[in-house]
Amino acid sequence: MTSVLRRLSPTGWVGLALVAAVFFIAALSALWTPYDPLAVAPGHRLEGSSMQHLLGTDRFGRDVLSRIMVGSQITLLVGVVSVGISALIGVPLGLWAALRKGGVNTAIMRGADLLLAFPALLLAILSGAIFGASTWSAMLAIGIAGIPGFIRVTRANALQVLTQDYIAAARIGGRSHTSIATVHVLPNIVSTLIVQASVAFALAVLAEAALSFLGLGTPPPDASWGRMLGDAQASLASAPHVAIWPGVAIALTVLGFNLLGDGLRDAFDPRRRTH
């Protein structure tokens, strides 16, 4: 890991700093926030930035900074769980498709193509209809929507590894498909999967914000960046700060994970680095 950090590009370091800042804010908000993020103060509605409220207040008088800090917890939770769902299902299926080939490969890849026809928004609507609109239904929908990406990346890279001579030697030695996948293939593609996870995390953050904005994600009064943007529509003309700050938080978080993913891709593959 240390060698990877040494090879990380400047943009990769920027991405790492942004991601680290989001994790720090989420950890800090679990222990402390300037105000109670759910506390309503009608006498302080739609106030601008001040010493008392650095980022102002929303239409209910709630502190915007406190809600953004707490909202980072939901953002990271959605990212971790949804990417975990995608990876835990997509990686084994991708390995299986690469190892078995034939009808198994065809069935898995056609299933992945079928999933691609159902975007996260449609899956969230279906999940919300079954389980009700919630953070967990949004995570499930985003996780399922991300499975095809992990299947394709895993299969493509596993097929490259399977052409190596040591794989042929393992097969001659009587190694099972499971043993070859876990001992020889997976360790050699884990770097690519880390990059895929970083990019998928950025997409999950954006998808959760969009779903919450549409009322299909985190329900009120819990703080969610997408929900904050949705609530800001009613007062956008008179108090634009209520939309600007959660929008900036979403943009910087997505940018951070994308830059980190690009940096890791270059660090793991020196041929892609620019000098």
Side-chain angles (χ1 to χ4, degrees), residues 155-241:
R155 176 181 175 274
N157 285 273
L159 287 174
Q160 293 180 358
V161 175
L162 289 171
T163 62
Q164 303 300 313
D165 292 338
Y166 61 84
I167 299 295
R171 285 172 169 161
I172 293 172
R175 289 291 188 98
S176 65
H177 287 302
T178 302
S179 177
I180 291 174
T182 56
V183 176
H184 298 289
V185 179
L186 192 56
N188 284 288
I189 66 172
V190 68
S191 59
T192 305
L193 295 178
I194 291 174
V195 174
Q196 173 66 17
S198 179
V199 175
F201 207 116
L203 295 175
V205 170
L206 200 57
E208 188 280 329
L211 293 174
S212 293
F213 178 85
L214 296 173
L216 298 171
T218 304
D222 292 334
S224 165
W225 295 345
R227 170 64 65 176
M228 292 175 69
L229 281 176
D231 292 342
Q233 293 181 89
S235 50
L236 191 58
S238 59
H241 68 274

Side-chain angles (χ1 to χ4, degrees), residues 10 21 26 50 78-79 109 149 152 169 205-206 216:
S50 64
V78 169
M109 297 313 296
R152 290 174 175 274
V205 170
L206 200 57
L216 298 171

